[in-house]
Amino acid sequence: MRQIRFLFALTLVALVVVSCGKKTPAEDAASTEAVADTTVHKVKVMTLAHQKIARPIEYTANLIPYEEINYAPASPGRIEEIMVEVGTHVTKGQVIARMEATQLQQAKEQYENAKSNFERMDTLYKLNSISEQVYEGAKTQYEVSKSSYDFLRKNTVLVSPINGIVTGKYFEGGELYSGAPNTAAGKAAIVTLMQINPMKVMVSISEKYFPLTKKGMKADIHVDIFPTRTFKGEISRIYPTISSDTRSFQVEIVINNNDEVLRPGMFSRVSLNMGQIDALILPAIAVVKQEGTNDRYVFLANSDKTAKKIKVEIGQRFDDKLEIISEELKEGDQVIFAGQDKLMDKSLITIVQ
């Protein structure tokens, strides 16, 4: 019995010794952290300073022609001849189509008769041979016939009002133009003309940029079909109202298209430079991304030879540099740009050249 009690007591003593020597997980972590905290890390630092950078904004939009005209005579009639086809380049003043000229010939005869009569009445009126009432009647008849003749002449011989290209043809010679809507825009036309040099684009810009947006501001335009080219444009018109739905306003940008490689409907990216601002710029290698998140940090070198972890946001990118945004950073701070990968907040550091 005494031997059994002795063995039981010996076992209890052994268990107590083992339990006293074993550490909890928290104690293990604290011990590891204590060891890490005593490690002195070698780092390199740089002085944080403001730099002037451009503040570009980028929007997407479809290219549109500088001017689009759904061209038609003022009244229905038979088309005598159309001189152009889809794809034809036209110049301002070039004859595009001719309408049947019967009414024009009648109007021309009436105009010439009224003109001759008015000239005769004018001579007699200057000689005081007729009354003012007769003179005014002849003058009115002449002006009405001239207006009618000019109107029919413009709407019988149709000439291009712009330099452009024919993008739609809806009739052939001999057909009757009725005046009914027949285009994608819901308008009536014999042909559609577009001016594609220059081109333009309409962009909706956030209202916060309204005070900074000026007429004549330059823009860079990129299209996917020509990835290596940058097309130049400038703001030609700023719309004066701001949409209450989108909190944005529209601007019209004119784009140089001398070689006519740009065409309506192309998808484009428009970049506008909203001036320069002061920003904090750091090499990309100085910014640490926390694994498994999108959080980014930088480390500052404190005067007590410890590191301070600061959360930051990323602004613009400039090749191997980044714009850093943080209320905790200020000009003159010593930012660690080498050796920061293994640092924690309050890690011991030593600065090396």
Side-chain angles (χ1 to χ4, degrees):
M1 180 63 71
R2 289 181 179 178
Q3 290 180 344
I4 293 174
R5 291 177 179 175
F6 176 78
L7 290 174
F8 180 75
L10 185 62
T11 302
L12 287 177
V13 171
L15 288 174
V16 170
V17 171
V18 171
S19 63
C20 290
K22 187 176 180 179
K23 295 182 180 180
T24 65
E27 289 173 333
D28 282 339
S31 177
T32 303
E33 187 174 351
V35 172
D37 285 344
T38 61
T39 302
V40 178
H41 300 270
K42 294 182 179 181
V43 299
K44 294 181 180 180
V45 300
M46 62 177 293
T47 302
L48 189 61
H50 283 102
Q51 296 183 28
K52 291 282 188 182
I53 64 168
R55 174 63 75 186
I57 56 174
E58 186 172 288
Y59 293 92
T60 58
N62 292 323
L63 299 181
I64 58 177
Y66 184 75
E67 192 169 1
E68 180 178 8
I69 298 174
N70 293 296
Y71 201 26
S75 58
R78 189 167 300 280
I79 302 169
E80 186 176 290
E81 182 183 9
I82 298 179
M83 287 81 163
V84 295
E85 296 292 339
V86 172
T88 301
H89 282 76
V90 296
T91 58
K92 186 175 182 179
Q94 178 179 334
V95 177
I96 293 175
R98 296 181 188 276
M99 304 295 290
E100 190 177 53
T102 303
Q103 290 183 325
L104 177 64
Q105 291 298 327
Q106 295 173 350
K108 182 179 180 182
E109 292 176 4
Q110 293 174 358
Y111 162 67
E112 289 177 346
N113 290 334
K115 180 181 178 182
S116 176
N117 183 58
F118 172 67
E119 289 174 347
R120 186 170 63 255
M121 292 298 105
D122 184 60
T123 300
L124 293 175
Y125 180 69
K126 290 177 179 176
L127 295 173
N128 294 321
S129 298
I130 59 172
S131 65
E132 183 176 355
Q133 183 179 3
V134 173
Y135 169 78
E136 290 295 336
K139 180 181 179 182
T140 299
Q141 186 178 10
Y142 162 70
E143 290 175 346
V144 171
S145 63
K146 182 178 185 303
S147 176
S148 178
Y149 172 60
D150 289 342
F151 173 79
L152 287 171
R153 185 175 58 181
K154 290 179 181 179
N155 286 278
T156 301
V157 181
L158 306 181
V159 299
S160 175
I162 60 171
N163 296 321
I165 188 171
V166 179
T167 60
K169 180 183 177 183
Y170 312 106
F171 292 91
E172 298 294 339
E175 293 185 322
L176 182 66
Y177 168 70
S178 64
N182 61 342
T183 66
K187 299 179 180 179
I190 291 178
V191 296
T192 297
L193 307 175
M194 287 186 183
Q195 184 176 352
I196 62 173
N197 181 31
M199 293 284 286
K200 67 180 181 181
V201 65
M202 301 295 295
V203 179
S204 294
I205 298 179
S206 173
E207 65 176 350
K208 66 182 179 180
Y209 294 113
F210 190 80
L212 301 175
T213 307
K214 307 295 180 184
K215 186 176 179 180
M217 284 180 62
K218 305 301 180 184
D220 290 335
I221 295 89
H222 297 88
V223 295
D224 292 344
I225 196 171
F226 300 112
T228 61
R229 292 190 61 176
T230 299
F231 299 89
K232 299 297 182 180
E234 67 175 44
I235 295 177
S236 61
R237 182 176 289 112
I238 301 172
Y239 285 63
T241 58
I242 295 175
S243 169
S244 58
D245 296 328
T246 62
R247 313 312 308 174
S248 63
F249 63 98
Q250 284 196 311
V251 300
E252 180 180 295
I253 299 173
V254 176
I255 308 165
N256 189 316
N257 190 31
N258 288 334
D259 52 3
E260 294 189 355
V261 296
L262 298 177
R263 293 303 168 101
M266 284 184 176
F267 177 79
S268 69
R269 295 177 178 84
V270 182
S271 179
L272 288 165
N273 186 355
M274 288 298 170
Q276 291 187 326
I277 62 169
D278 284 327
L280 297 172
I281 306 297
L282 284 175
I285 59 173
V287 182
V288 179
K289 182 179 179 182
Q290 184 170 321
E291 188 175 352
T293 71
N294 287 322
D295 295 338
R296 289 172 169 82
Y297 299 88
V298 298
F299 285 91
L300 300 185
N302 289 330
S303 58
D304 61 357
K305 297 184 179 181
T306 61
K308 182 179 181 180
K309 189 178 182 180
I310 303 291
K311 187 176 180 179
V312 298
E313 293 182 7
I314 303 301
Q316 292 179 235
R317 297 179 181 270
F318 309 92
D319 297 326
D320 62 342
K321 295 183 179 181
L322 300 173
E323 177 191 3
I324 304 301
I325 302 171
S326 173
E327 295 182 355
E328 295 186 63
L329 295 177
K330 62 184 183 300
E331 191 169 24
D333 284 342
Q334 298 294 300
V335 178
I336 299 172
F337 70 92
Q340 76 277 22
D341 293 341
K342 297 181 181 180
L343 294 181
M344 296 183 294
D345 193 35
K346 299 182 181 179
S347 290
L348 298 177
I349 59 172
T350 181
I351 298 173
V352 297
Q353 298 297 323

